[in-house]
Amino acid sequence: MEGFELIGVGFGPSNLALAIAAGELGAATPRQLFLERQPRFGWHRGMLIEDATMQVSFLKDLVTLRNPASQFSFLNFLHSSGRLIDFINNKTLFPLRVEFHDYLEWAAAQVDDVVRYDRTVEAVRPITNDGVVDEFEVTSASADGGARETYRTRNLILGTGLSPRLPDGVTASDRVWHNRELLDRVERLGDDAAPRRVVVVGAGQSAAEVTGFLHERFPSAEVCSVFSRFGYSPADDSPFANRVFDPDAVDEFYSAPEDVKQQLLGYHANTNYSVVDTEVIQDLYRRSYRERIVGKERLRFFNVSRVIDLHDTSSGVSLTVESLSTGQKTPLDADLVVFCTGYTPGDPTDLLGDLGSECRRDQAGRVRIGRDYRVVTTPVVRAGIYLQGGGTEHSHGLASSLLSNISVRAGEILDSIRQQPVAPLRPAVAQPVGV
């Protein structure tokens, strides 16, 4: 059984940043392994719309806020790609999303020796010595359920991301999608299956982008956007509001009383949740106004509304749009319905089996997390369990699941791991907790 100082579950941007930070320690680099269920690196591939831009500065890349001299910076990627001068001339802090994804792939390719793709983690079990859990046994399998492998580690880094969320009662199907699958699903349609009507549900950045993309991609289709607000709300990306994403803001948020944390999350939700870049809002409005002038309105907005009575039929999707203000119901037959209704963090203990009972929780039932992103456990567990991103917003603030602080967070997790007492990796047998 191979032994490691740390094993990361999932290999998105957060654990990629951690792998890079660890590799930059030189001779002090811990033995590390990352397990990723995808066959290759990918980050929100379904939403890599060609003209969509990042909502975070390129300076908040995988390394710069932690180590501005790192060879893994976005600027070094541009230089190696021969586009540095062209990017500078473009005068923007916000690259295209497809270009930033190219950067992430470029960085991931340079550390692929510590990653095993096409591996799904099936179980995590405690390894006990003298009644104390000082290591974990991690079992993974290939995507087809075969070729199982087992490893040992002192530290487990959970970076499994977020799960797509659909409204209660809605089930994904060939005609009902979550926007995470957008581009893959559209490509599968083929040119001969262009929809006549598409319904997009949601009021955030993804919903607005999907609405614009489908309106352009299918020039003969009617695109209906349904959301509960009166109109799209602009994102607050002003300098003072953006301080909520600063590394120092994590310290202030973490130490604040619970009622203050809730106030801050509410005050600054409009920096991230159900908000849209002003340029995207203006583009959609211009399209709608232009269509009114020429008398061919394909872009329809159902504001202050919700979708009800949705079900698949033999020829498409039948649904009703209900006005929240008047109660008026508008029946629609659509070829496709795309829900842009966000993501939700899973319970990080789901993967831990019996170890989950050794994780401390707060009064709201949420896993307690240290400032160093280490899960607070009972004294019987001395090996480290760390969370990357999902499941930490309640303790570390709005930036927890975003790109803003991933480079700094990677360094903090690595520092925490290095400060632990080090003992030789020992051959051991997985046993139940407390044995």
Side-chain angles (χ1 to χ4, degrees):
M1 190 190 305
E2 291 184 88
F4 297 89
E5 293 291 332
L6 68 90
I7 287 180
V9 181
F11 197 63
S14 293
N15 270 347
L16 170 56
L18 180 63
I20 291 170
E24 289 182 340
L25 293 174
T29 295
R31 189 157 190 244
Q32 56 179 332
L33 174 68
F34 296 88
L35 303 168
E36 170 57 49
R37 63 185 175 185
Q38 296 185 103
R40 59 192 176 102
F41 183 88
W43 178 67
H44 295 302
R45 286 185 178 274
M47 282 295 291
L48 295 180
I49 298 171
E50 285 189 2
D51 59 351
T53 58
M54 296 292 294
Q55 293 178 277
V56 63
S57 166
F58 72 86
L59 293 171
K60 294 183 176 182
D61 58 16
L62 295 167
V63 294
T64 297
L65 293 184
R66 176 184 57 81
N67 176 17
S70 173
Q71 67 179 28
F72 289 89
S73 69
F74 181 76
L75 288 179
N76 193 40
F77 159 73
L78 290 173
H79 177 70
S80 67
S81 303
R83 293 200 304 271
L84 180 56
I85 295 299
D86 292 335
F87 183 85
I88 292 172
N89 289 339
N90 201 31
K91 296 182 180 180
T92 182
L93 290 172
F94 307 100
L96 290 170
R97 197 176 296 153
V98 291
E99 183 173 38
F100 200 81
H101 191 274
D102 288 345
Y103 158 66
L104 295 175
E105 286 187 300
W106 169 83
Q110 298 182 67
V111 295
D112 63 357
D113 58 318
V114 299
V115 188
R116 296 181 189 175
Y117 292 101
D118 193 29
R119 307 300 305 178
T120 298
V121 174
E122 294 186 325
V124 176
R125 299 182 181 88
I127 294 177
T128 61
N129 288 285
D130 299 326
V132 173
V133 178
D134 57 7
E135 293 178 86
F136 304 120
E137 177 189 276
V138 180
T139 301
S140 75
S142 58
D144 59 7
R148 283 177 172 76
E149 297 176 353
T150 302
Y151 332 89
R152 295 192 340 270
T153 184
R154 286 199 193 93
N155 298 283
L156 188 68
I157 321 297
L158 301 179
T160 52
L162 305 172
S163 300
R165 179 174 60 232
L166 292 173
D168 292 341
V170 174
T171 303
S173 69
D174 289 340
R175 296 180 180 275
V176 178
W177 310 340
H178 186 276
N179 68 277
R180 182 182 71 164
E181 305 175 289
L182 178 71
L183 295 185
D184 291 338
R185 291 283 198 169
V186 167
E187 287 302 315
R188 289 183 217 165
L189 286 177
D191 294 334
D192 296 333
R196 293 163 300 172
R197 176 184 285 148
V198 180
V199 175
V200 180
V201 183
Q205 180 76 16
S206 293
E209 289 178 353
V210 169
T211 299
F213 169 77
L214 293 174
H215 183 257
E216 186 173 310
R217 178 67 172 78
F218 301 112
S220 297
E222 179 182 279
V223 179
C224 303
S225 180
V226 182
F227 45 85
S228 58
R229 299 188 176 203
F230 197 83
Y232 294 114
S233 298
D236 185 354
D237 61 351
S238 58
F240 287 108
N242 273 341
R243 285 182 171 177
V244 76
F245 302 119
D246 290 352
D248 289 346
V250 178
D251 288 322
E252 191 164 355
F253 186 93
Y254 187 85
S255 61
E258 182 60 30
D259 60 332
V260 175
K261 288 181 180 178
Q262 294 305 313
Q263 289 176 9
L264 290 172
L265 290 174
Y267 290 154
H268 297 289
N270 65 341
T271 60
N272 183 53
Y273 292 116
S274 295
V275 289
V276 183
D277 287 344
T278 302
E279 295 83 359
V280 178
I281 296 174
Q282 291 173 336
D283 174 64
L284 289 177
Y285 190 86
R286 280 193 294 266
R287 295 190 198 197
S288 177
Y289 187 69
R290 181 175 63 244
E291 289 184 353
R292 291 187 65 187
I293 293 174
V294 301
K296 184 181 179 181
E297 296 186 48
R298 293 193 300 115
L299 189 55
R300 299 175 63 188
F301 295 98
F302 292 86
N303 62 348
V304 198
S305 299
R306 63 176 179 173
V307 168
I308 60 173
D309 299 332
L310 180 147
H311 60 274
D312 282 314
T313 67
S314 59
S315 58
V317 183
S318 176
L319 58 95
T320 299
V321 176
E322 180 183 45
S323 169
L324 297 174
S325 57
T326 67
Q328 179 180 346
K329 294 180 173 61
T330 304
L332 292 176
D333 290 320
D335 297 294
L336 301 171
V337 180
V338 184
F339 282 91
C340 306
T341 42
Y343 296 81
T344 185
D347 189 325
T349 66
D350 287 347
L351 191 63
L352 301 178
D354 292 341
L355 278 166
S357 63
E358 303 297 324
C359 299
R360 302 289 198 188
R361 295 182 180 269
D362 62 18
Q363 292 182 343
R366 302 168 301 195
V367 173
R368 290 176 55 196
I369 307 161
R371 173 61 185 84
D372 58 357
Y373 300 94
R374 181 171 176 166
V375 173
V376 179
T377 62
T378 62
V380 73
V381 180
R382 294 184 184 173
I385 303 170
Y386 293 84
L387 298 188
Q388 285 261 49
T392 62
E393 183 177 282
H394 69 280
S395 56
H396 289 71
L398 283 166
S400 64
S401 62
L402 307 177
L403 290 175
S404 296
N405 281 328
I406 61 172
S407 61
V408 174
R409 182 173 66 219
E412 291 173 342
I413 291 175
L414 198 57
D415 287 343
S416 176
I417 290 173
R418 295 178 69 202
Q419 290 167 9
Q420 296 178 33
V422 176
L425 285 169
R426 297 173 288 181
V429 177
Q431 302 175 14
V433 176
V435 173

